[in-house]
Amino acid sequence: MKWKAYVLGEDDGIPKTPEWQAEETGIAAKEIRALARAWGNKKVYLSAGGAGNGYGGACRNATGTQWSRMMICLMAMQGIGKPGVNLGNMQRATPLDLHFYFPGYADGGISGDLTGTALAVALYQRMPQLPTINTTSQKIPRLHMPEAIAGETVEGYAWDGKTIEGQFNKIVYPKPGHSPVKMLYKYGSSLFGTMSDTNRYVKMYNLKNLEFVVNQSIWMEGDVPFSDIVLPACTHLERTDISEWAGIGGYTHHGQNQLNHRVITFQHKCIEPLGESKSDYQIFLEIAQRLGLGLLFSEGMSELDWTKRQFEASDLPKHISWKKFLKKGYFVVPPLKEELRPPVSFRWFAEGRKKDVPEPHPLPADYTEEFLKGLQTQSGKIEFDCNSLKRFDADDPERPTIAKYTPSWEGPQDKKRFKKYPLLLMTPHARYSYHSQGDGKDSFLNDIIDHRIEIEGVYYWTLRMNYLDAKDRGINKFDLIKAHNERGAVVCAAFPTNRLGRGVVHGYESCAIYDPMGEPGNSVDRGGCLNQLTPSRTQIKKSHSMATSSALIEIESWDGKGELVAAE
């Protein structure tokens, strides 16, 4: 086996021994041996990353592609699907009733969009509506949007859950015959807090090529001040809606299980929209009306009408009446009875049977032999040596056909930068806010010191660092510090701890506030947008994968000045 030869060092002369990894990771060889013995002598259920497939976790670093592939290899060696041996996350499991249908936010809602959402998978059959079609096929790889707006030719690879080969579909901007983008309609969230090397996006807003910017938002934060027109949206307390807690819907099969319970709520309007704000629905409707498309968008229905229509398209009417649901305000989906619970994932694969847990994607045509027989890989098996990569580019050193250890290009491997920026910043998903939601709203979250720390009337983002690294730099608890590299600088409140190894810094990504101390994009930010420091490079050139969970930085006490360059 090619992968076995690689692990044993038969092909490159480097056996991947515990001693070899100790030099790479700093973890003692004896600890790896102990882990390997425990792993090899016990049944293992691997709970790796968000939702078990890694999104938002360890996969969002410079070598996340190889990490995720390695998880599959490890479980294949265990015999994935056998009793007690599987891969996933315990929050995504029975006894949740995943057959109970209620659309999540990726299922299209009232958009009518059959191609850009998961509407066609289920909701369109249950709630027919006037379909909508985006007449332009030009797309911009989001991680390269600043360069695209600046007039550069950029490439990327879009995610496609319908087919294995879909990941190799290249996007090129500008697309022949299409107009360059001159206007941006921004709808919620913050590019500064969620993208990578985000001073690029700050500068993008000032480019002459971007002639007009509209921002539809609730809060005057993040990107909003850089807009030509702000369309004020009201909060969820000022509009009617229906939703399921953490129901992501069509992003993944059975996506209605982010939590270990399912609760569907009716969202009563508490007050009328404040000031000139309107609901998102009303804003879109009034724009559509001015374009002569109002009736096509609304189908003559109010927000309450659409809410009732979605209620009727779900499985709720089997359990509760519309009138009772309105009065009660919520419905807890009961767990399945033991005898009705779905089969264990991959048990069919381990036992050589046909698949008994069918999924909407990849599509049936991806099966090699016949429908439901084997996996939807080109061999029908778990591939240690990937056939699709052989066909696409077998010689790509960044994505070899087998899973290989690759040192991070944003780390000690880059000796010149590592000498100047010797700390590795980790920026996982926020614990106390969801992306930029919940942050910066003068809420109780600001009172949680792991989220923000108030110093002289300003709530600073919390940045954790090893206490010895802090001591070496003369930094004490809650001191104001400047985390910086050549991409930018962010002022945070220091939180020394012994829970981090030396050389490692931890701060959550996706803050909502961008507060430059001088010229936007060319000055220190004290809002907490750590993604200004993260690399803009994709993990590999032939994919569109973020590498924002690690960045080389240096930290020093903040001198109160707004210049980017660190004091010499």
Side-chain angles (χ1 to χ4, degrees), residues 91-148:
Q91 71 190 41
R92 288 183 168 244
T94 53
L96 294 179
D97 183 356
L98 301 179
H99 297 289
F100 185 99
Y101 180 74
F102 186 86
Y105 79 90
D107 283 314
I110 66 171
S111 71
D113 184 357
L114 292 171
T115 57
T117 70
L119 181 70
V121 176
L123 183 57
Y124 189 72
Q125 286 76 28
R126 288 169 165 264
M127 192 177 79
Q129 53 194 284
L130 295 176
T132 58
I133 299 172
N134 188 345
T135 55
T136 178
S137 59
Q138 178 170 251
K139 297 180 180 179
I140 295 179
R142 189 164 63 151
L143 295 178
H144 304 315
M145 189 162 73
E147 292 75 23

Side-chain angles (χ1 to χ4, degrees), residues 48-66:
N53 57 16
Y55 63 73
C59 67
R60 285 191 180 176
N61 62 65
T63 58
T65 300
Q66 299 306 318

Side-chain angles (χ1 to χ4, degrees), residues 494-509:
F495 199 121
T497 175
N498 61 4
R499 297 184 65 185
L500 291 172
R502 293 216 65 172
V504 179
V505 181
H506 175 285
Y508 294 116
E509 59 92 41

Side-chain angles (χ1 to χ4, degrees), residues 391-466:
R391 290 179 172 89
F392 178 60
D393 187 354
D395 299 319
D396 185 354
E398 294 185 323
R399 186 165 56 177
T401 61
I402 62 171
K404 287 186 176 182
Y405 169 73
T406 306
S408 171
W409 40 260
E410 183 80 10
Q413 185 83 354
D414 187 346
K415 292 182 172 58
K416 184 177 180 180
R417 289 188 67 245
F418 187 65
K419 184 176 181 180
K420 191 172 184 180
Y421 306 114
L423 301 175
L424 184 63
L425 170 67
M426 298 171 56
T427 51
H429 271 50
R431 181 176 183 181
Y432 300 103
S433 57
Y434 180 74
H435 293 302
S436 58
Q437 298 176 37
D439 174 48
K441 314 296 189 293
D442 294 328
S443 73
F444 70 93
L445 291 179
N446 286 339
D447 297 324
I448 302 174
I449 62 172
D450 285 336
H451 181 63
R452 286 186 180 272
I453 297 171
E454 183 182 10
I455 300 174
E456 297 182 358
V458 178
Y459 287 96
Y460 291 91
W461 205 245
T462 303
L463 195 62
R464 297 156 197 80
M465 61 188 302
N466 178 274

